[in-house]
Amino acid sequence: MVVVLRGGVPQEKIEPLISWLKGKGLGVREFHGQEQCVLGLIGNTAGVDIEMLRSLDIVESVGAVSDPFKAANRKIHPEDTVVSTQGTGGGSLGGGHFALIAGPCSVENEAQITLVAQKVKEAGATFLRGGAFKPRTSPYDFQGLGEEGLRLLLEAKKATGLPIVTELMELRSLPLFEEIDVIQVGARNTQNYDMLKELGRVPNTILLKRGLAGTLKELLMSAEYIMASGNENVILCERGIRTYESDYSRNTLDLSAVPILKRLTHLPVVVDPSHGTGKAYMVEPMSLAAVAAGADGIMIEVHNNPAEALCDGPQSLTPEQFADTARKVFKVREALA
Amino acid sequence: MVVVLRGGVPQEKIEPLISWLKGKGLGVREFHGQEQCVLGLIGNTAGVDIEMLRSLDIVESVGAVSDPFKAANRKIHPEDTVVSTQGTGGGSLGGGHFALIAGPCSVENEAQITLVAQKVKEAGATFLRGGAFKPRTSPYDFQGLGEEGLRLLLEAKKATGLPIVTELMELRSLPLFEEIDVIQVGARNTQNYDMLKELGRVPNTILLKRGLAGTLKELLMSAEYIMASGNENVILCERGIRTYESDYSRNTLDLSAVPILKRLTHLPVVVDPSHGTGKAYMVEPMSLAAVAAGADGIMIEVHNNPAEALCDGPQSLTPEQFADTARKVFKVREALA
Amino acid sequence: MVVVLRGGVPQEKIEPLISWLKGKGLGVREFHGQEQCVLGLIGNTAGVDIEMLRSLDIVESVGAVSDPFKAANRKIHPEDTVVSTQGTGGGSLGGGHFALIAGPCSVENEAQITLVAQKVKEAGATFLRGGAFKPRTSPYDFQGLGEEGLRLLLEAKKATGLPIVTELMELRSLPLFEEIDVIQVGARNTQNYDMLKELGRVPNTILLKRGLAGTLKELLMSAEYIMASGNENVILCERGIRTYESDYSRNTLDLSAVPILKRLTHLPVVVDPSHGTGKAYMVEPMSLAAVAAGADGIMIEVHNNPAEALCDGPQSLTPEQFADTARKVFKVREALA
Amino acid sequence: MVVVLRGGVPQEKIEPLISWLKGKGLGVREFHGQEQCVLGLIGNTAGVDIEMLRSLDIVESVGAVSDPFKAANRKIHPEDTVVSTQGTGGGSLGGGHFALIAGPCSVENEAQITLVAQKVKEAGATFLRGGAFKPRTSPYDFQGLGEEGLRLLLEAKKATGLPIVTELMELRSLPLFEEIDVIQVGARNTQNYDMLKELGRVPNTILLKRGLAGTLKELLMSAEYIMASGNENVILCERGIRTYESDYSRNTLDLSAVPILKRLTHLPVVVDPSHGTGKAYMVEPMSLAAVAAGADGIMIEVHNNPAEALCDGPQSLTPEQFADTARKVFKVREALA
């Protein structure tokens, strides 16, 4: 339920209403917009007398939110969320702050990650991505450098100032992620509810990928799991879905997810055209398309030597290709500014 | 099979080779590029002595085309096809000629189609679309004005000069389409092979929509049916595919089809964000995305009064919304020029 | 809308009601069950005074049918339809009459079709299937014997007495199908609405396949097109749908279609495990499963020499394998009788 | 790689070969069939001299296994695996031992679980299922009784002797599952690789559900994760996949998974028609179909009062319906014995 207050109501008149609502066992999200304050009520509102609420002089209107997602709902929180990673030394994302996230699929060694980090920074990247723990379909494939990979990413951050995005695969390694700016939840863990609840209790920003064949409602419900546990720094990521079309692409990148999610939620939405297509030659056109569709950021795999990458080489750009794509991305953003 | 000839070989040296190949029962497509001539061989090439071909002094190289589509294959015809509708009084599409196709889902009456045609032309449209024969899931729904609808479209063409795009639903009405510039094959007829063969024998341009849940290979094979019968004026159209995501969109618009098709074929590729999303609010972002991804054109439903449209109102733009979208489309094209 | 009449109402009291309803512009389907008569009203019922209807002494109840399919709806026609092909000399299907339909993908020559027809008849088949006109993805593949194929099928019918099931690919060849017992509409024509309307005006039975990626509602709506034009002899056929699973099967045979369709409609439902799986080794287990799920018939491809079949060899059974499968099919039917 | 030994080779001649292969860093699975012994080599076989192997007098043949799954592969382990839960006091499953697994979606209280356990046992169930930890799409829904639920299940086991199947949602609760006969990995955790690795180190049997939209290859690779860590007691479970068909069923139960998996792997395959359809009325026909298709077991939700179940009521059978279905299941098995 959403309670929209009249413009100009002073905070001391709002507090008693909030206390009273909390006394009914409800969670209350207070949202101060430029002109008015909105209260989002989460939980069972059956015990609230709506007519009484409407009759209060500080209340302008009361509305229902029938969607199953509440904290993530734009109806409850109308303005764009701007996610900040300043606590861990990073930048902002969402609400006009565009993020260009780049880096290798896997961290392989110090020389590689440092080189790629510098190159992508020069080309305009604002975040460094890289995998330390890797989900692989086969138990016999390279599974990532693990803890050592995280250490190398933090070295690269020190060298370049770029905040880090990297994936958590299971809760037992969570303590190692303390200094990581953005913890990624991969497509195979989008509905790992225990992991989501736990990530609701950390101060890091969470980048939540859409499931391999996940609906947008499921993605929002998974964000809701994190937010309901207290962490509102959540970024949603479209990364391609599974369809019957597999001759020419690894996944079907669903760019309609961008306008749909931007309408349904206030959380920032980024697009991963590398995993979303699985082919380097499609990364540029789909990056430009994602930006034109309104994405708050894009995440691109860049490798100094794609042909010898330990993982996902066929979808990685070289630093030169990335720089070229980045230039065009900024042009499209300017054209639509 | 593709035979690449050396640069500068005169036509009189090429002719005997072509005659000889045709004598083997093969179709031969002759493609004169800026520097060299390429011969595309279609049919069973088992009887051709490749080593002999390679040893000819006018031949540079001989390669196999393992893809099942031949005439539509960029390997056989490396340069972009530019489709022209001048025979019927229209313009060009493909190879840098961008098409903005707009108009109502159904032609309803003269006033409606004339008004919409003028409005979309003012906003920059280069083709007028409108349905006279309508495929409807239910036999009890409005099935279009039929022949009268075609007549009204041709009136609107006379008034505005815009060439017409409209759908053919079955072969018996084909004689009525003589003056129609672009005959659309709808998503339910993409694999209506008898229709495709027959459209291979008409002079009109064909706009071939991807099937409801069609693969890109199937789309190319359907184009091949038309081309194998002699009509090379074929435009491919991405219009959204069926996936499990149906809460928030009617189809999943697959924009990765654009870079994939542009790589595989020389035929022009347009995108229909109206049917591809089913929601007016998504038409603009997905139009911009399609253009950024490299589409040769976009096709948008515009209705003077979407709320009262006899068909597909929820996905139609008003003329004003269309003009706004068109402006941004041109900006994105400029930015990437 | 459905009007359920009281038990024992004589026909002369029903006629005036029907006339009055028809006078309102409605189609009226009269269904005489064992105890009562039900009238199914098709068309716009907005002008009917429901309260008045309910107050009539011959009316027991009046109910809405919110489903978009009417003539095919079990609510309007509660008892199973039994399709008969006696007009063309064949047998029955549905309502307890189980059909075992077998034969080659394509008719290749007289010896082949006669041999296969005799073998499958000996094994218990009740219908002979065989393709004369073949839909092929590639224009360069074998397209069937055409009219000659139909002639050979009718020869085989004469020799064995088995009624024939064969596919119509386009309306212009419809006159050739006069003596064909069951005209098949293939998966690529399920939504070829003009073909469906025309098939509503012929006396033959129609076997309507589910679309390549068609929903069950679409299948029912396509049946509705045929029935709304006057032909109620319609058989529905599940033949596998397109999913993301393609490593090990050609399609995903959706056997849940059987109980769902049997609940929604009174039309008979058959299953095609040959196209539905694309692999001979799966035909037997999926045939048994289809029968256990309640199918009114199964349709199996049988070829005297699958390795050399001109079409779909990998999914064809030999006559011996078919006989073995047929034995088990009958055992499962007995077990559940 | 698979090394097939000649019949009658004594174990003392096999041991040195195994030692030698292990010395090359390979895992070796020894499979003693009725006539011969087969050695399955897992790992990088590039360093093995195949010609030398073939020349050994105890070796009959050496073959490659190109599939990415090895331990689960029927080529490496040709005979059916029979999973036993005797260590925890339960029965067998696979290789002719049919399992009828039944019980409520969620354990709600002692009276409920005891009543249902007794009823399903009387009807022929051989395992009791029930959820203690529940994965729910919404953080605001009932999440299961947790540890208390496990305790109640073990009480019901004591009372009825039925071994228990219940779901593990995250590794931290694994120590509570010591006495649980079969630990279920749910569809949202099928690719939770860290969980799979850990379950490779417990003595319990694992029932691994196919992912929400998982391929069969992915399911086998997930089984491979468990087996590669040492636990070979793995049961595979088809539970319906996500398709575009959602009007009439919750998922599309893919029964072709049964013959496909039985061909590819030696592991037992069970089917869950309750989650696979989401509708009680479909559970019986799809159970019978699963058995006819060759499933080693079926898993059915049974609730004493479906209308008031805290979870998944619409798909639960009453004990009476279950008894009826069980009777028919046994009839179909007999008919095909």
Side-chain angles (χ1 to χ4, degrees):
Chain A
M1 195 183 287
V2 178
V3 181
V4 182
L5 303 186
R6 291 189 194 283
V9 174
Q11 190 66 17
E12 67 265 25
K13 286 202 157 185
I14 302 177
E15 293 298 349
L17 176 57
I18 292 177
S19 300
W20 180 78
L21 289 163
K22 286 185 173 166
K24 297 274 178 188
L26 296 169
V28 180
R29 272 159 214 281
E30 203 174 331
F31 176 74
H32 292 274
Q34 291 182 320
E35 299 188 359
Q36 354 183 238
C37 174
V38 172
L39 304 181
L41 311 191
I42 298 175
N44 182 357
T45 55
V48 178
D49 182 341
I50 293 178
E51 286 316 310
M52 191 276 281
L53 267 183
R54 281 196 180 124
S55 69
L56 296 178
D57 59 353
I58 63 170
V59 170
E60 186 174 296
S61 64
V62 179
V65 177
S66 59
D67 308 290
F69 46 98
K70 310 292 179 186
N73 203 315
R74 199 179 270 281
K75 289 176 198 151
I76 278 183
H77 182 316
E79 288 191 12
D80 283 351
T81 280
V82 179
V83 161
S84 164
T85 62
Q86 289 184 329
T88 43
S92 296
L93 197 164
H97 299 82
F98 183 76
L100 192 51
I101 308 169
C105 178
S106 294
V107 180
E108 295 172 13
N109 56 58
E110 186 163 356
Q112 172 236 22
I113 190 67
T114 312
L115 176 68
V116 174
Q118 281 164 342
K119 292 281 190 184
V120 300
K121 191 185 181 184
E122 284 164 24
T126 54
F127 285 81
L128 175 66
R129 60 145 291 155
F133 296 91
K134 299 297 307 171
R136 302 303 298 273
T137 312
S138 168
Y140 311 122
D141 286 345
F142 174 60
Q143 313 263 322
L145 292 184
E147 189 169 357
E148 170 68 2
L150 293 181
R151 196 187 61 76
L152 295 177
L153 283 167
L154 291 171
E155 289 292 325
K157 177 181 174 183
K158 231 180 274 172
T160 59
L162 291 177
I164 302 299
V165 180
T166 193
E167 181 168 351
L168 173 76
M169 276 189 60
E170 59 119 12
L171 284 176
R172 288 177 305 183
S173 46
L174 181 56
L176 305 171
F177 282 68
E178 204 179 326
E179 295 173 67
I180 298 300
D181 306 273
V182 181
I183 299 177
Q184 177 176 314
V185 176
R188 290 169 189 76
N189 277 316
T190 309
Q191 295 191 299
N192 184 334
Y193 299 128
D194 284 273
M195 182 185 279
L196 300 176
K197 284 179 196 169
E198 200 72 24
L199 293 177
R201 292 187 274 269
V202 300
N204 317 60
T205 290
I206 310 302
L207 185 145
L208 179 65
K209 287 203 158 184
R210 185 178 184 176
L212 287 186
T215 65
L216 295 175
K217 196 181 275 176
E218 285 172 341
L219 178 60
L220 289 166
M221 291 313 293
S222 290
E224 193 76 15
Y225 260 99
I226 302 171
M227 298 175 86
S229 298
N231 185 351
E232 308 217 337
N233 284 313
V234 179
I235 302 165
L236 305 176
C237 181
E238 161 63 28
R239 46 79 71 205
I241 56 171
R242 177 165 285 170
T243 68
Y244 58 80
E245 176 64 66
S246 56
D247 284 325
Y248 302 119
S249 62
R250 184 167 158 182
N251 292 292
T252 297
L253 189 67
D254 175 14
L255 289 183
S256 68
V258 177
I260 294 172
L261 288 172
K262 298 296 292 177
R263 187 182 181 90
L264 295 173
T265 183
H266 50 90
L267 298 173
V269 178
V270 305
V271 171
D272 176 349
S274 302
H275 287 86
T277 65
K279 310 272 182 186
Y281 85 88
M282 282 198 262
V283 171
E284 180 173 299
M286 296 314 278
S287 294
L288 301 178
V291 169
D296 296 299
I298 50 179
M299 181 150 81
I300 295 181
E301 280 189 16
V302 178
H303 194 278
N304 47 318
N305 187 354
E308 296 190 9
L310 292 180
C311 164
D312 284 344
Q315 72 194 31
S316 293
L317 300 189
T318 62
E320 294 67 36
Q321 290 170 324
F322 174 71
D324 206 43
T325 296
R327 263 191 298 278
K328 292 183 192 161
V329 160
F330 294 129
K331 273 193 190 168
V332 171
R333 277 189 59 78
E334 260 170 55
L336 294 172
Chain B
M1 197 183 287
V2 178
V3 181
V4 182
L5 303 185
R6 290 189 195 284
V9 175
Q11 190 66 17
E12 67 265 25
K13 286 203 156 182
I14 302 177
E15 292 297 350
L17 176 57
I18 291 177
S19 300
W20 179 78
L21 288 165
K22 286 185 171 166
K24 296 273 178 188
L26 295 170
V28 180
R29 271 159 215 282
E30 204 174 330
F31 175 74
H32 293 274
Q34 290 182 321
E35 301 188 358
Q36 356 182 238
C37 173
V38 172
L39 303 181
L41 311 190
I42 298 177
N44 182 358
T45 56
V48 178
D49 182 340
I50 293 177
E51 286 316 310
M52 190 277 280
L53 267 183
R54 282 198 179 120
S55 69
L56 296 178
D57 59 353
I58 64 169
V59 169
E60 186 175 297
S61 65
V62 179
V65 177
S66 59
D67 308 290
F69 47 97
K70 310 293 179 187
N73 204 315
R74 198 179 271 280
K75 289 177 196 149
I76 278 184
H77 182 317
E79 287 190 14
D80 283 351
T81 281
V82 179
V83 161
S84 164
T85 62
Q86 288 184 331
T88 42
S92 296
L93 196 164
H97 299 82
F98 183 77
L100 191 51
I101 308 168
C105 179
S106 296
V107 179
E108 295 172 14
N109 55 59
E110 186 164 356
Q112 172 235 23
I113 191 66
T114 312
L115 176 68
V116 173
Q118 281 164 342
K119 291 281 188 184
V120 299
K121 190 184 181 187
E122 283 164 23
T126 55
F127 286 82
L128 176 66
R129 59 146 291 156
F133 296 90
K134 300 298 307 171
R136 303 302 299 272
T137 312
S138 168
Y140 311 122
D141 286 346
F142 174 60
Q143 313 263 325
L145 292 184
E147 189 169 355
E148 170 68 3
L150 294 181
R151 197 186 62 75
L152 295 179
L153 283 167
L154 291 171
E155 289 291 326
K157 178 182 174 184
K158 230 179 276 171
T160 59
L162 291 177
I164 301 298
V165 180
T166 193
E167 180 167 353
L168 172 76
M169 276 189 61
E170 59 119 11
L171 284 176
R172 289 177 304 184
S173 45
L174 182 56
L176 305 172
F177 283 68
E178 205 179 326
E179 295 173 69
I180 298 301
D181 305 273
V182 182
I183 299 177
Q184 177 176 313
V185 176
R188 289 168 189 77
N189 277 317
T190 308
Q191 295 191 299
N192 185 334
Y193 298 129
D194 283 274
M195 182 184 280
L196 300 177
K197 284 179 196 169
E198 200 71 25
L199 292 178
R201 291 187 274 267
V202 299
N204 316 59
T205 291
I206 310 302
L207 185 145
L208 179 65
K209 288 204 159 186
R210 184 179 185 176
L212 287 185
T215 66
L216 294 175
K217 196 180 278 176
E218 285 172 341
L219 178 60
L220 289 166
M221 291 312 294
S222 291
E224 194 75 15
Y225 260 98
I226 301 171
M227 298 175 85
S229 299
N231 185 351
E232 307 216 339
N233 283 316
V234 179
I235 302 165
L236 304 176
C237 181
E238 160 64 28
R239 47 78 72 205
I241 56 172
R242 179 166 283 172
T243 67
Y244 58 81
E245 176 65 65
S246 57
D247 284 325
Y248 302 119
S249 61
R250 182 167 160 181
N251 292 292
T252 297
L253 189 67
D254 175 14
L255 290 183
S256 67
V258 177
I260 293 172
L261 289 172
K262 298 296 292 177
R263 188 183 182 90
L264 295 173
T265 183
H266 50 88
L267 298 173
V269 178
V270 306
V271 172
D272 175 349
S274 302
H275 287 87
T277 63
K279 310 271 181 185
Y281 87 88
M282 284 198 262
V283 171
E284 181 173 298
M286 297 315 279
S287 294
L288 301 177
V291 169
D296 295 300
I298 49 178
M299 181 150 80
I300 295 180
E301 280 188 16
V302 178
H303 194 279
N304 48 319
N305 187 355
E308 296 190 7
L310 292 180
C311 165
D312 283 343
Q315 72 193 30
S316 293
L317 300 190
T318 62
E320 293 68 35
Q321 290 169 325
F322 174 71
D324 206 43
T325 296
R327 263 191 298 277
K328 292 182 193 162
V329 161
F330 294 129
K331 272 192 190 170
V332 170
R333 277 189 59 78
E334 260 169 56
L336 294 172
Chain C
M1 196 184 287
V2 178
V3 181
V4 181
L5 303 186
R6 291 189 194 282
V9 174
Q11 191 66 17
E12 67 266 25
K13 286 203 157 185
I14 302 177
E15 293 298 351
L17 176 57
I18 292 178
S19 301
W20 180 77
L21 289 164
K22 286 186 172 166
K24 295 276 177 187
L26 295 170
V28 180
R29 272 160 214 281
E30 205 173 332
F31 176 74
H32 292 275
Q34 291 182 320
E35 300 189 358
Q36 350 183 240
C37 174
V38 172
L39 304 180
L41 311 191
I42 297 177
N44 182 358
T45 55
V48 179
D49 182 340
I50 294 177
E51 286 315 309
M52 190 276 281
L53 267 183
R54 282 197 179 123
S55 69
L56 296 178
D57 59 354
I58 64 170
V59 170
E60 186 174 296
S61 64
V62 179
V65 177
S66 59
D67 308 290
F69 47 99
K70 310 293 180 187
N73 204 314
R74 199 179 269 281
K75 288 176 198 150
I76 278 183
H77 181 316
E79 288 191 13
D80 283 351
T81 280
V82 179
V83 160
S84 164
T85 62
Q86 289 184 331
T88 44
S92 296
L93 197 164
H97 298 81
F98 183 77
L100 191 51
I101 308 169
C105 178
S106 294
V107 180
E108 296 172 14
N109 55 59
E110 186 163 358
Q112 173 235 22
I113 191 67
T114 312
L115 176 68
V116 174
Q118 281 164 342
K119 291 280 189 185
V120 300
K121 191 186 181 185
E122 284 164 24
T126 54
F127 286 81
L128 176 66
R129 59 145 292 156
F133 297 91
K134 300 297 308 171
R136 303 303 298 272
T137 313
S138 168
Y140 311 123
D141 285 346
F142 174 60
Q143 313 263 324
L145 293 184
E147 188 167 358
E148 169 68 2
L150 293 181
R151 197 186 62 75
L152 296 177
L153 283 167
L154 291 170
E155 288 293 326
K157 177 181 174 183
K158 231 179 274 171
T160 59
L162 290 178
I164 302 297
V165 180
T166 193
E167 180 167 352
L168 172 77
M169 275 189 60
E170 59 119 12
L171 284 177
R172 288 177 304 184
S173 47
L174 182 56
L176 306 171
F177 283 67
E178 205 179 326
E179 296 174 67
I180 298 301
D181 306 273
V182 181
I183 299 177
Q184 177 176 313
V185 177
R188 288 169 189 77
N189 277 317
T190 308
Q191 294 190 300
N192 184 334
Y193 299 128
D194 284 273
M195 182 185 279
L196 301 176
K197 283 180 196 168
E198 200 71 26
L199 293 177
R201 291 188 272 269
V202 300
N204 317 59
T205 290
I206 310 302
L207 185 144
L208 178 66
K209 287 204 160 186
R210 184 180 185 175
L212 287 185
T215 65
L216 295 175
K217 196 180 277 175
E218 285 172 342
L219 178 60
L220 289 166
M221 291 312 294
S222 290
E224 194 75 17
Y225 259 99
I226 301 171
M227 299 175 85
S229 299
N231 186 351
E232 308 216 339
N233 284 314
V234 179
I235 303 165
L236 305 176
C237 181
E238 162 63 29
R239 45 81 69 204
I241 56 171
R242 178 165 284 170
T243 69
Y244 60 82
E245 176 65 66
S246 56
D247 284 325
Y248 303 118
S249 61
R250 184 166 158 182
N251 292 293
T252 297
L253 190 66
D254 176 13
L255 290 182
S256 67
V258 177
I260 293 172
L261 289 172
K262 298 297 290 177
R263 187 183 181 91
L264 295 173
T265 183
H266 50 89
L267 298 172
V269 178
V270 306
V271 171
D272 176 348
S274 302
H275 287 87
T277 64
K279 310 272 182 185
Y281 86 88
M282 283 198 262
V283 171
E284 179 172 299
M286 297 314 278
S287 293
L288 301 177
V291 169
D296 295 299
I298 50 179
M299 180 150 81
I300 295 181
E301 280 189 16
V302 179
H303 194 277
N304 46 320
N305 187 355
E308 296 189 9
L310 292 180
C311 163
D312 283 345
Q315 73 194 30
S316 292
L317 300 190
T318 63
E320 294 67 37
Q321 290 169 325
F322 174 71
D324 206 43
T325 295
R327 264 191 298 278
K328 293 183 193 161
V329 160
F330 295 129
K331 272 192 189 168
V332 170
R333 277 189 59 78
E334 261 170 54
L336 294 172
Chain D
M1 196 184 286
V2 178
V3 181
V4 182
L5 303 185
R6 292 188 195 283
V9 175
Q11 191 66 17
E12 65 265 25
K13 286 203 157 184
I14 302 177
E15 293 298 349
L17 177 57
I18 292 177
S19 299
W20 179 79
L21 289 164
K22 286 185 171 166
K24 298 274 178 189
L26 295 170
V28 180
R29 272 160 213 281
E30 204 174 332
F31 175 74
H32 293 275
Q34 291 182 321
E35 300 187 0
Q36 342 182 250
C37 174
V38 172
L39 303 181
L41 311 190
I42 298 176
N44 183 359
T45 56
V48 179
D49 181 339
I50 293 177
E51 287 316 311
M52 190 277 282
L53 266 184
R54 281 196 179 124
S55 69
L56 296 178
D57 59 354
I58 63 170
V59 170
E60 187 175 295
S61 65
V62 180
V65 177
S66 59
D67 308 291
F69 47 97
K70 310 293 179 187
N73 203 314
R74 198 179 270 280
K75 289 176 197 150
I76 279 184
H77 182 315
E79 288 191 13
D80 283 352
T81 281
V82 179
V83 161
S84 163
T85 62
Q86 289 183 332
T88 43
S92 296
L93 196 164
H97 298 81
F98 183 76
L100 191 51
I101 308 168
C105 178
S106 296
V107 180
E108 295 172 14
N109 55 59
E110 187 164 354
Q112 173 236 21
I113 190 67
T114 312
L115 176 68
V116 173
Q118 282 164 342
K119 292 281 189 185
V120 299
K121 191 186 182 184
E122 284 164 23
T126 55
F127 286 82
L128 175 66
R129 60 145 291 157
F133 296 90
K134 299 298 308 171
R136 302 303 299 271
T137 313
S138 167
Y140 312 121
D141 285 346
F142 174 60
Q143 313 262 324
L145 291 184
E147 189 169 356
E148 170 68 3
L150 294 180
R151 197 186 62 75
L152 295 177
L153 283 166
L154 292 171
E155 289 291 325
K157 177 182 175 184
K158 231 179 274 172
T160 59
L162 291 177
I164 302 298
V165 180
T166 193
E167 180 167 351
L168 172 76
M169 275 188 60
E170 59 119 12
L171 284 176
R172 288 177 305 183
S173 46
L174 181 56
L176 305 171
F177 283 68
E178 205 180 325
E179 296 174 67
I180 297 301
D181 305 273
V182 181
I183 299 177
Q184 177 176 314
V185 176
R188 289 168 189 77
N189 276 316
T190 307
Q191 294 190 300
N192 183 335
Y193 298 129
D194 284 273
M195 182 185 281
L196 300 176
K197 284 180 196 169
E198 200 72 24
L199 293 177
R201 291 187 274 267
V202 300
N204 316 59
T205 291
I206 310 302
L207 186 146
L208 179 65
K209 288 203 159 186
R210 184 179 186 176
L212 287 186
T215 66
L216 295 175
K217 195 180 277 175
E218 285 172 341
L219 178 60
L220 289 166
M221 291 312 294
S222 291
E224 194 75 16
Y225 259 98
I226 300 171
M227 298 174 85
S229 299
N231 185 352
E232 308 216 338
N233 284 313
V234 178
I235 302 165
L236 304 177
C237 181
E238 161 64 28
R239 46 77 73 204
I241 56 172
R242 178 166 284 171
T243 68
Y244 60 81
E245 176 65 65
S246 57
D247 283 326
Y248 302 118
S249 62
R250 184 166 157 181
N251 292 292
T252 296
L253 190 67
D254 175 14
L255 290 183
S256 67
V258 177
I260 294 172
L261 288 172
K262 298 296 291 177
R263 187 181 181 92
L264 295 173
T265 183
H266 50 89
L267 298 173
V269 178
V270 306
V271 171
D272 175 348
S274 302
H275 287 87
T277 63
K279 309 273 182 186
Y281 86 88
M282 284 199 261
V283 171
E284 180 173 299
M286 297 314 279
S287 294
L288 301 176
V291 169
D296 295 299
I298 49 178
M299 181 151 80
I300 295 181
E301 280 188 16
V302 179
H303 194 278
N304 46 319
N305 188 354
E308 295 190 7
L310 292 180
C311 165
D312 283 344
Q315 73 193 32
S316 294
L317 300 189
T318 62
E320 293 68 36
Q321 290 169 324
F322 173 71
D324 206 44
T325 295
R327 263 190 299 276
K328 293 182 192 161
V329 160
F330 294 128
K331 273 191 189 170
V332 171
R333 277 189 60 77
E334 261 170 56
L336 295 172

